[in-house]
Amino acid sequence: HIEYEGPETLRRYGYLPQRPTFRPGFTVAETAAFYADLVDDDPDRLLEAVGLDAVTDRPVSGLSGGMTRLLGIAQALAGDPPVVVLDEPASGLDPAMSERVFAVVESIADEGRAVVLSSHELALVERTADRLVVLESGRVRATGSPDELRERTGGPLHETFTSLLDDETAVVAGATDR
């Protein structure tokens, strides 16, 4: 459950599902324009924010998995929501694209937005997140900064993660609000 208690905004939350899909036949620019028009935003700004401004004429069906995620992040940013929720933004991506996606996540947080994400990319989460919540079967098992959680178990985050859990149904959720 997430609550926003800040100033009133047109759109409080932006959301990226784990597997974003877009209308077939649309280009990157048309897709960004569709979402931007819903909230009176600038599609060029959205594409620039995620580094897709050089591929605006590409059909969405021709995007790689990573570029599809970046376009999904762009749509999540439409309307300047103060809270952005990202579900597995780097799932299934190669290491270079995972790094690129997490760099975009950091830039979103650096702009003052709260970013809540779930991820199994523990090294990237450890480097990016300010606070972590370890969930197991829908229950909070541990919270704290990456340093605090490492200190509790004396190891890197992946060892901390496994030592805090009883089974493999756990998820690490990271949040950054720089």
Side-chain angles (χ1 to χ4, degrees):
H1 182 81
I2 297 172
E3 287 187 33
Y4 170 72
E5 296 180 4
E8 209 41 52
T9 62
L10 179 63
R11 187 173 180 209
R12 291 181 183 171
Y13 308 100
Y15 174 65
L16 170 71
Q18 185 172 356
R19 292 184 183 91
T21 58
F22 302 105
R23 184 176 176 159
F26 269 34
T27 64
V28 168
E30 290 167 332
T31 301
F34 173 80
Y35 289 103
D37 287 347
L38 293 174
V39 289
D40 195 28
D41 205 337
D42 177 10
D44 295 331
R45 179 191 72 83
L46 298 174
L47 294 176
E48 187 177 316
V50 298
L52 291 180
D53 47 327
V55 295
T56 58
D57 292 334
R58 189 174 295 181
V60 294
S61 60
L63 295 177
S64 68
M67 288 183 156
T68 299
R69 295 288 165 67
L70 291 171
L71 184 56
I73 293 171
Q75 70 80 25
L77 295 174
D80 269 338
V83 179
V84 180
V85 179
L86 308 173
D87 185 8
E88 292 283 354
S91 176
L93 302 182
D94 65 66
M97 186 54 85
S98 292
E99 290 277 347
R100 182 172 171 190
V101 166
F102 269 79
V104 169
V105 169
E106 286 182 284
S107 71
I108 293 168
D110 288 344
E111 291 173 355
R113 288 184 183 86
V115 179
V116 178
L117 66 90
S118 65
S119 181
H120 290 90
E121 298 288 337
L122 299 183
L124 293 171
V125 169
E126 187 170 17
R127 188 185 76 214
T128 306
D130 297 320
R131 288 184 305 275
L132 300 175
V133 178
V134 179
L135 303 172
E136 181 182 26
S137 301
R139 292 192 156 161
V140 174
R141 291 298 305 256
T143 63
S145 71
D147 287 340
E148 289 168 343
L149 292 181
R150 275 193 306 272
E151 193 173 296
R152 282 177 60 181
T153 57
L157 190 56
H158 71 276
E159 289 177 14
T160 298
F161 178 70
T162 55
S163 71
L164 291 170
L165 306 174
D166 294 331
D167 64 43
E168 55 194 45
T169 61
V171 175
V172 173
T176 182
D177 60 0
R178 292 186 190 143

